[in-house]
Amino acid sequence: VPLPQNNKNNTILSWEKISKSYGEIEALKDFSGSMQKGITGLLGPNGAGKTTFLKILISLLQADSGEIFLGGNKINSKNPFHLTQIGYMPEYTAHIPGHTPVTYLTFLCELQGMSRKEALFRSHEVLFYIGMGEERYRNMEELSYGQLQRVMLCQALAHDPEILLLDEPTTGLDPEGRKEFLALMKELASEYDKTILFSSHILEDVEEICENILLLHKGQLLFSGPINEFQKGKENLYAFQFWEENPAFLDFLQSAEISYTQNERGEWIVQLDSHEKLENLLEGVRKTNTILKSLTPYQRPLEEVFMEFLKSPA
């Protein structure tokens, strides 16, 4: 079943004023947002409401208020047609004891309405794609944590959904496993046109694969937009590199009251919060016969800006 086409601005999934409380605890409060094609990171500290939101999207939880739209059409949780278009990978691995990956996935595909033959074919297809072809007949109790995570991704992909909701998918994986998983996410988005909501507290992974982010804190949205816009932070910072370091240029910057620091990557970071300061910097380049290799807006480390937003969200 294809996605409905009653959507604007290429928005795949959107939601308005989602609220959810557990007793007196507000897990989500008037949370509105949207997703377009590509990979969107869902960020927030523990308890921000990320898992609650994902469960609401797949009707495992009922929101207290708010509306969700798929392809521009309102979702009715009592008639969840949208579940055919969404694949969900939970935070924790889960399986039916006694099953192998292929029998487990075949069973899930049959629940989606596939015939036995179709379900068996699809299970083998997805397992080989994810790199679990060799382990497809092993008992799932014998699999490593990383292999179980791959099976969880397989079950999210088994019915070929257009949208993937992934809850902490790289947690517990070794460095090589994380690298392979992130490469798969990029491929699914670019080659297979999947729309992915990637919830993670591993900011390095979000920085690696996400184009846009949603930042939740105490159930409320602090930021929504391109990740490079988020990384600019609240200052006009630029990075430059020398072809050959020139102390006279650094002395000029100091005399022009342009502050600078050097980061661990060897880049020099300056704050140019006015056109006049940019002109002063370029004048210093000319006067000191300095050759710069690059001068670009500085993309601050995601973790640094993340912590800044949480401390002063306004």
Side-chain angles (χ1 to χ4, degrees):
V1 181
L3 279 175
Q5 295 303 308
N6 183 31
N7 58 321
K8 299 178 181 179
N9 302 322
N10 201 32
T11 297
I12 304 300
L13 189 66
S14 62
W15 51 94
E16 296 179 1
K17 294 185 177 299
I18 299 294
S19 294
K20 175 67 179 178
S21 295
Y22 300 101
E24 297 182 356
I25 300 173
E26 289 185 307
L28 293 170
K29 184 177 180 181
D30 291 333
F31 177 31
S32 299
S34 63
M35 285 174 55
Q36 297 179 329
K37 287 287 185 183
I39 307 177
T40 298
L42 181 60
L43 305 182
N46 290 337
K50 303 187 298 296
T51 297
T52 293
F53 175 60
L54 294 179
K55 289 182 176 180
I56 288 172
L57 288 179
I58 59 171
S59 300
L60 279 180
L61 287 176
Q62 185 74 39
D64 298 332
S65 60
E67 297 177 327
I68 302 170
F69 300 88
L70 179 64
N73 288 9
K74 183 179 175 180
I75 286 175
N76 180 356
S77 60
K78 295 181 180 179
N79 182 25
F81 75 92
H82 65 292
L83 296 184
T84 62
Q85 296 302 327
I86 295 178
Y88 173 60
M89 180 178 173
E91 181 177 2
Y92 302 105
T93 60
H95 62 275
I96 302 172
H99 272 271
T100 66
V102 73
T103 60
Y104 176 63
L105 290 177
T106 299
F107 172 67
L108 295 180
C109 287
E110 288 181 293
L111 289 180
Q112 281 284 340
M114 298 183 197
S115 69
R116 177 72 177 180
K117 183 178 179 180
E118 290 173 326
L120 194 58
F121 176 83
R122 179 62 179 168
S123 299
H124 281 85
E125 183 179 42
V126 174
L127 284 164
F128 273 99
Y129 172 70
I130 297 299
M132 287 290 292
E134 295 295 322
E135 293 83 9
R136 67 192 187 280
Y137 294 123
R138 287 180 59 189
N139 192 296
M140 289 181 65
E141 281 80 12
E142 299 173 2
L143 299 179
S144 68
Y145 181 81
Q147 290 169 335
L148 285 172
Q149 284 289 81
R150 286 176 178 264
V151 176
M152 291 300 98
L153 178 58
C154 286
Q155 62 84 27
L157 286 169
H159 56 295
D160 195 23
E162 296 201 29
I163 300 169
L164 290 174
L165 308 180
L166 310 178
D167 195 359
E168 302 287 355
T170 57
T171 299
L173 297 181
D174 60 39
E176 187 61 29
R178 279 176 55 203
K179 182 179 178 181
E180 292 174 357
F181 193 97
L182 296 177
L184 271 174
M185 294 304 98
K186 290 180 180 179
E187 184 175 284
L188 286 167
S190 61
E191 301 297 324
Y192 295 94
D193 208 27
K194 301 297 183 187
T195 299
I196 301 172
L197 185 58
F198 184 84
S199 175
S200 180
H201 71 278
I202 304 176
L203 301 184
E204 183 181 344
D205 291 351
V206 174
E207 197 167 10
E208 172 73 19
I209 67 171
C210 294
E211 302 151 21
N212 299 288
I213 62 168
L214 299 161
L215 175 58
L216 273 175
H217 184 43
K218 297 181 179 178
Q220 294 183 290
L221 182 67
L222 294 189
F223 180 88
S224 174
I227 191 169
N228 58 353
E229 290 294 323
F230 181 73
Q231 287 177 288
K232 288 181 180 178
K234 301 178 181 179
E235 301 171 333
N236 295 307
L237 299 176
Y238 287 79
F240 69 83
Q241 290 180 299
F242 293 106
W243 275 112
E244 185 175 341
E245 189 169 321
N246 185 352
F249 178 65
L250 298 177
D251 291 341
F252 179 90
L253 293 181
Q254 190 171 4
S255 66
E257 298 184 346
I258 299 176
S259 59
Y260 62 84
T261 58
Q262 189 176 24
N263 65 19
E264 65 279 0
R265 298 193 298 269
E267 298 172 310
W268 294 88
I269 313 303
V270 291
Q271 183 175 10
L272 303 176
D273 50 10
S274 68
H275 184 72
E276 180 182 356
K277 284 194 174 181
L278 175 60
E279 289 294 329
N280 287 344
L281 182 143
L282 295 176
E283 180 185 357
V285 169
R286 292 190 295 269
K287 284 187 173 181
T288 60
N289 295 316
T290 298
I291 301 176
L292 296 183
K293 185 186 295 185
S294 62
L295 175 63
T296 58
Y298 178 49
Q299 299 298 311
R300 298 168 65 191
L302 185 59
E303 183 174 0
E304 178 183 319
V305 188
F306 175 79
M307 296 306 299
E308 179 184 288
F309 264 81
L310 296 187
K311 289 177 181 177
S312 54

